[in-house]
Amino acid sequence: MGNPRNMNMGGGFSIHLYSDHDKWHGVTINGIKAKVVRNISDLKGTHSSLPLAAGNSDIYLRLDKFGNPVQGRLYNGRLSAIDFDWGHDHCNNPRKGGDGKRFSKGTVHVQEYHFKSDGTVDRVSQNARLMNHYEIQKYGPILKHFSPNVKFK
């Protein structure tokens, strides 16, 4: 788990930046593998980031400073595809091209990733949206498993 530049052909990484969180167990729901991870430099495991590239899970989650799951990242082909965030209020900033839509803490808002040909990545934060029906059906049970009070609308 870590930076896409450190991925190797065997499915691992030459440098690992994250590890499994020792206080949370991974699950498989709807055929999707999910687990809580921690940045290896953060002994408390309450960091503010998730890896851009995945090892062997489909979704990684992170905790807030109180030890509660607040974000999940879905991977497609081991690369970041979507963030499911519910740990903060969010506004699609009109000054950055957003529509001004607001999402309250506790309600999942979705932010998509776009990988550029030069290897850099953009998270489209100014155009966050609610989860669609398909995402709620497929990934909602995973998010509810780790954060039972999360809302989708």
Side-chain angles (χ1 to χ4, degrees):
M1 297 171 270
N3 189 313
R5 292 186 181 112
N6 298 328
M7 292 190 312
N8 60 40
M9 299 302 288
F13 292 86
S14 58
I15 299 171
H16 286 269
L17 303 175
Y18 295 81
S19 65
D20 295 356
H21 199 290
D22 59 347
K23 294 183 177 149
W24 292 82
H25 296 287
V27 298
T28 300
I29 299 173
N30 291 337
I32 305 295
K33 294 193 299 187
K35 62 182 169 182
V36 176
V37 297
R38 67 173 189 84
N39 187 304
I40 59 170
S41 64
D42 176 14
L43 299 178
K44 292 182 182 177
T46 56
H47 50 89
S48 61
S49 66
L50 284 165
L52 286 175
N56 59 8
S57 286
D58 303 302
I59 294 179
Y60 292 139
L61 296 104
R62 73 169 184 87
L63 307 177
D64 65 8
K65 64 183 178 180
F66 304 108
N68 301 309
V70 293
Q71 180 184 22
R73 182 165 294 163
L74 174 68
Y75 298 86
N76 183 5
R78 296 185 62 201
L79 297 176
S80 300
I82 293 175
D83 276 354
F84 300 110
D85 289 324
W86 61 93
H88 62 276
D89 292 329
H90 178 86
C91 176
N92 290 343
N93 190 339
R95 285 180 271 142
K96 295 182 179 179
D99 59 9
K101 192 173 204 176
R102 296 184 177 277
F103 305 90
S104 61
K105 182 177 180 177
T107 300
V108 178
H109 60 278
V110 175
Q111 298 173 76
E112 297 180 11
Y113 282 85
H114 296 130
F115 281 82
K116 299 178 185 178
S117 59
D118 66 0
T120 59
V121 71
D122 276 335
R123 184 171 85 161
V124 187
S125 295
Q126 72 277 12
N127 288 315
R129 60 176 174 77
L130 291 171
M131 292 176 75
N132 61 39
H133 180 72
Y134 171 80
E135 291 165 338
I136 293 169
Q137 293 295 322
K138 186 160 185 166
Y139 308 113
I142 293 166
L143 302 182
K144 286 276 191 188
H145 172 83
F146 288 100
S147 187
N149 296 323
V150 73
K151 295 176 275 189
F152 302 121
K153 302 219 184 235

